[in-house]
Amino acid sequence: MWNFPEAHPGDDITAEIWDTARAAVMAMRLLQGEGIRLKWSANGVTISASPDLVTFQNPFKCSLKSQGKAAILTGLINGQEPLINGVYLSGPNRDGNQMPVLDFGDPLLGNNGAGYIATQFQCDNNWVLIPKSLTIVQVPYYDSLNGTPPPNEGGAATSGGIPGLPGRMVRCPLAMLRKLSSGQVILFQIPYFNLAHKADPRGNDQARHFFWPAPG
């Protein structure tokens, strides 16, 4: 805390008073750090910040490239990488092709106004994921194969695993899509990690499917 010497109009400004006042002002001045801007005006100082943005490149990160198109970063389910139209998500790192884009046009939405970008795959007779069947789709429901509302919509798929689909198939949602009144489509990411999968068979080629964060 700085104590200015007492002064009155007409007093001489001595070197001691000047040095004390100058040191106090210098000690209380604002210093701008990285990404910080200071603007002085008669009304005070305006402080603004523009820190560098850090992009979080998580597995299965979905992003809208344009209306009706989405890019999905590579991710793994039980160590297997999905495909879009026969091309691996990592594209050039796997098969020489460019990274694929999911082109779904006008999004398919369910009765609740939401649609999903999801992984879809089939299991073999031992309920093990078949790698070549692992793909990315855009669907109105991830727990209904024909696009109609599933039984107990809004609850069946969110408690005790995801219900399987006919033919030993299953979908796991990666992102939710919603369409605004303006027509703009917005996206909400769901998982942020690679996934592990295990099926719990219930007979008659039915099963409930469980997904959880995979190590690594």
Side-chain angles (χ1 to χ4, degrees):
M1 189 71 181
W2 288 86
N3 295 317
F4 284 88
E6 185 176 349
H8 304 89
D11 287 351
D12 292 335
I13 298 178
T14 64
E16 179 185 358
I17 293 175
W18 177 263
D19 290 343
T20 301
R22 183 175 183 276
V25 170
M26 293 295 292
M28 292 185 291
R29 66 176 175 169
L30 297 175
L31 300 176
Q32 60 190 56
E34 183 178 356
I36 303 299
R37 295 190 303 273
L38 302 178
K39 183 179 180 180
W40 282 265
S41 69
N43 297 321
V45 181
T46 300
I47 303 175
S48 57
S50 56
D52 293 336
L53 297 178
V54 177
T55 302
F56 182 38
Q57 302 288 65
N58 57 281
F60 291 123
K61 180 180 179 179
C62 301
S63 56
L64 295 174
K65 303 291 288 185
S66 60
Q67 290 294 81
K69 294 184 179 182
I72 298 95
L73 291 184
T74 188
L76 303 176
I77 298 181
N78 286 0
Q80 302 297 327
E81 184 180 11
L83 302 99
I84 296 178
N85 296 327
V87 180
Y88 287 104
L89 292 183
S90 58
N93 298 326
R94 287 291 298 269
D95 48 26
N97 292 291
Q98 293 297 313
M99 294 179 66
V101 173
L102 182 65
D103 189 349
F104 52 84
D106 198 32
L108 300 172
L109 304 177
N111 290 345
N112 61 357
Y116 298 91
I117 293 174
T119 62
Q120 175 178 287
F121 61 88
Q122 188 176 22
C123 295
D124 62 19
N125 292 334
N126 296 315
W127 292 101
V128 176
L129 181 157
I130 301 174
K132 285 297 184 180
S133 71
L134 181 56
T135 186
I136 305 292
V137 294
Q138 195 281 302
V139 292
Y141 304 100
Y142 56 86
D143 47 357
S144 171
L145 187 61
N146 59 11
T148 59
N152 304 317
E153 180 186 356
T158 57
S159 177
I162 296 176
L165 301 171
R168 294 177 179 249
M169 293 179 61
V170 65
R171 291 171 178 159
C172 179
L174 302 178
M176 175 191 289
L177 300 176
R178 284 194 175 274
K179 194 172 186 179
L180 304 179
S181 57
S182 63
Q184 178 186 1
V185 177
I186 56 177
L187 179 150
F188 301 91
Q189 183 73 29
I190 298 177
Y192 290 85
F193 31 71
N194 291 319
L195 297 169
H197 162 263
K198 186 173 180 61
D200 178 23
R202 302 295 176 92
N204 297 322
D205 273 353
Q206 298 296 315
R208 293 191 77 84
H209 298 262
F210 296 87
F211 295 86
W212 65 92

